[in-house]
């Protein structure tokens, strides 16, 4: 059946707004060309959206034409302000943006392990309020929160998980109480996958798995363009996956003995130490494992002589390895051992889901780059009959904030761009 006039107007309005979001400011003529609508219909929707306060004149086109230049229309960016939070066990980071996703303020605060629940929640909420004030936002429309742990698919709330600070769950309630904003909570790894699909390593993929490698481990599953959360919100809890190479089995309350024991930051640090590697410089908030992987990749990427100069006939006939060669050898063995471990977890996911692409995400996946991804890919090719491409994260740990901001922006636009009753 043909759409009613009001439905047709709503569809046209939504199409025009999406084009303005994706393409930037456009003239009425450009909207006509991109939408295929008639000139009177475009003129009508421009007037309607302007009256609703959703678009405004932002300039004039530079086209060579007779008469006055055409007016450029753009979305009113400050119609709504958004915030994104990355909640970690060791602290919180926040970004505040306008409706178009342009960053206006960024801040972070460390929260020590011995900080009480109340003070920790107050630090985090105050951080958000301060960032919003710095951005010039009188109020926040939508807040996207990325946090470790399980999200209840029925309520959208962070479930009580052992091993995570109590202030994580309290924070969500406090944000809802203190801020006149919609608060959306999502698992951090799921948000990272959304960001990698939109702006990172999986831009050309509608089916892939992101293997999160940061302080902890996790996985996110995107099938046919949709993020899959599972019946209880636990899809991707790969840290609990029983794997060979550990001394025990994981339990319902502890992932020790699971894949986490092979690929978590502490496990990687221990693995590096076994190959003679110690982190020399760790950035604030960076997992020590990421610093070690970065050092190993740098050592192997930097050209260095593998052996000392050839001995003269009178010297000792046995050449000795130079210090730089010894370091490179240790780095090579470390990355190979790490790739062995990562391939175990990745192979399990590939065997069940056949995603065709695995993204090594998080800080460790990003700094490991193509060197680590290639090694994992080689091992998967030997272990699995299913073709799979292994890619390194483009966004690293920043993917969580990016994903939270994308989620907040889409939610706010869905509400603001929705058809209005007439």
């Amino acid at each position: 059946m043909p759409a009613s006039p009001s439905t047709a107007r709503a569809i046209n309005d939504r199409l025009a707004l999406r084009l303005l979001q994706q393409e930037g400011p456009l003239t009425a003529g450009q909207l006509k060309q991109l939408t295929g609508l008639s000139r009177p219909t475009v003129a009508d929707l421009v007037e309607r959206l302007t009256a609703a306060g959703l678009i405004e004149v932002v300039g004039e086109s530079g086209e060579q034409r007779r008469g006055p230049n055409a007016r450029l229309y753009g979305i009113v960016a400050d119609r709504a302000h958004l915030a994104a939070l990355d909640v970690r066990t060791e602290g919180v980071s926040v970004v505040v943006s306008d409706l178009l996703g342009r960053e206006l303020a960024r801040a972070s605060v460390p929260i020590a392990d011995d900080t009480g629940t109340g003070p920790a929640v107050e630090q985090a909420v105050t951080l958000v309020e301060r960032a919003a004030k710095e951005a010039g936002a009188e109020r926040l429309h939508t807040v996207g929160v990325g946090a470790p742990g399980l999200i209840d698919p029925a309520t959208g709330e962070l479930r009580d998980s052992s091993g995570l600070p109590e202030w994580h769950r309290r924070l969500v309630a406090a944000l809802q109480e203190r801020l006149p904003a919609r608060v959306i909570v999502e698992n951090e790894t799921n948000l990272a996958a959304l960001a990698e699909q939109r702006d990172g390593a999986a831009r050309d993929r509608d089916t892939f798995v992101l293997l999160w490698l940061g302080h902890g481990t996790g996985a996110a599953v995107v099938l046919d363009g949709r993020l899959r959360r599972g019946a209880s919100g636990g899809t991707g809890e790969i840290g609990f996956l029983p794997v060979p190479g550990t001394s025990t089995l994981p339990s319902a309350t502890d992932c020790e003995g699971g894949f986490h024991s092979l690929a978590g930051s502490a496990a990687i640090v221990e693995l590096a130490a076994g190959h003679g590697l110690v982190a020399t410089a760790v950035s604030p908030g960076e997992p020590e494992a990421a610093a070690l992987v970065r050092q190993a990749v740098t050592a192997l990427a930097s050209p260095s002589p593998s052996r000392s100069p050839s001995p003269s006939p009178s010297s000792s006939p046995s050449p000795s390895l130079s210090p730089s060669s010894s370091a490179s050898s240790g780095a090579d063995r470390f990355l190979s051992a790490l790739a062995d471990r990562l391939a175990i977890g990745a192979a399990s996911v590939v065997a069940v889901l056949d995603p065709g692409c695995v993204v090594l995400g998080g800080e460790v996946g990003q700094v490991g780059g193509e060197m680590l991804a290639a090694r994992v890919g080689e091992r998967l090719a030997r272990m699995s009959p299913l073709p799979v491409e292994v890619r390194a994260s483009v966004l690293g740990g920043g993917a969580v904030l990016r994903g939270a901001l994308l989620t907040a922006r889409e939610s706010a636009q869905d509400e603001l761009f929705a058809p209005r009753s007439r």
Side-chain angles (χ1 to χ4, degrees):
M1 295 179 60
S4 66
S6 61
T7 300
R9 285 194 296 269
I11 293 172
N12 293 339
D13 290 355
R14 190 67 171 258
L15 175 59
L17 287 165
R18 289 301 181 190
L19 285 170
L20 288 169
Q21 173 196 329
Q22 295 166 5
E23 304 293 335
L26 299 169
T27 65
Q30 290 170 327
L31 280 171
K32 173 182 178 297
Q33 181 180 7
L34 291 171
T35 61
L37 300 172
S38 67
R39 189 177 301 276
T41 299
V42 170
D44 182 44
L45 74 82
V46 166
E47 181 180 356
R48 191 163 53 247
L49 294 176
T50 301
L54 291 174
I55 68 172
E56 62 184 351
V57 177
V58 296
E60 294 183 345
S61 70
E63 299 172 355
Q64 296 297 321
R65 59 192 298 275
R66 294 182 179 181
N69 288 336
R71 286 179 289 185
L72 281 168
Y73 295 93
I75 291 176
V76 180
D78 61 359
R79 175 65 186 274
H81 289 93
L82 318 169
L85 276 75
D86 181 0
V87 180
R88 306 285 181 102
T89 55
E90 70 277 3
V92 176
S93 297
V94 61
V95 167
V96 178
S97 81
D98 60 22
L99 185 58
L100 292 176
R102 292 182 299 209
E103 183 177 319
L104 303 175
R106 177 183 290 259
S108 62
V109 61
I111 297 179
D113 292 340
D114 58 354
T115 303
T117 298
V121 170
E122 183 61 29
Q123 287 183 52
V125 176
T126 300
L127 179 76
V128 178
E129 292 175 333
R130 187 169 65 246
K133 183 177 181 180
E134 180 184 338
E138 294 184 4
R139 65 179 296 272
L140 294 172
H141 182 281
T142 306
V143 178
V145 181
L150 299 175
I151 309 299
D152 190 318
T155 64
E157 296 178 351
L158 188 64
R159 290 168 53 184
D160 186 15
S161 300
S162 60
L164 294 177
E166 173 63 23
W167 65 265
H168 278 200
R169 296 189 70 228
R170 291 278 299 278
L171 173 60
V172 175
L175 289 170
Q176 293 170 330
E177 292 171 2
R178 294 264 289 268
L179 303 176
R182 175 188 301 170
V183 179
I184 303 171
V185 186
E186 180 59 273
N187 174 267
E188 59 179 355
T189 308
N190 287 344
L191 291 177
L194 292 176
E196 293 286 357
Q197 185 180 34
R198 182 72 63 85
D199 302 320
R203 286 189 297 269
D204 60 338
R205 292 281 183 169
D206 61 1
T207 294
F208 70 98
V209 168
L210 180 133
L211 191 62
W212 180 264
L213 305 169
H215 287 287
T217 58
V221 178
V222 177
L223 301 178
D224 300 323
R226 292 181 56 196
L227 182 68
R228 307 291 177 162
R229 296 178 175 83
S232 63
T235 296
E237 288 295 321
I238 197 172
F240 287 87
L241 179 72
V243 292
T246 61
S247 58
T248 185
L249 289 173
S251 70
T253 59
D254 190 356
C255 60
E256 187 66 30
F259 182 64
H260 176 81
S261 295
L262 293 184
S265 182
I268 295 175
V269 170
E270 184 179 354
L271 178 67
H275 290 86
L277 276 66
V278 178
T280 57
V282 182
S283 302
E286 179 186 40
E288 186 178 356
L292 287 161
V293 171
R294 184 180 61 248
Q295 288 175 203
V297 169
T298 300
L300 293 175
S302 302
S304 61
S306 61
R307 293 180 180 272
S308 59
S310 298
S312 63
S314 60
S315 64
S316 170
S318 301
S320 61
L321 292 176
S322 67
S324 59
S325 174
S326 178
S328 296
S329 178
D332 182 66
R333 293 193 304 271
F334 164 59
L335 286 184
S336 292
L338 177 58
D340 290 339
R341 293 186 173 193
L342 299 182
I344 291 174
S348 300
V349 173
V350 169
V352 175
L353 298 175
D354 187 19
C357 178
V358 172
V359 176
L360 302 183
E363 294 89 349
V364 172
Q366 183 182 36
V367 299
E370 293 303 318
M371 188 177 294
L372 180 59
R375 293 181 184 223
V376 175
E378 291 169 359
R379 286 154 177 78
L380 284 178
R382 296 196 299 265
M383 297 168 66
S384 172
L386 306 176
V388 58
E389 181 181 3
V390 180
R391 299 179 178 180
S393 166
V394 171
L395 303 174
V400 177
L401 267 180
R402 180 60 182 159
L405 187 58
L406 287 170
T407 299
R409 188 180 78 181
E410 290 181 1
S411 175
Q413 290 181 349
D414 282 344
E415 178 184 323
L416 295 172
F417 295 175
R420 282 166 166 68
S421 59
R422 304 185 188 284

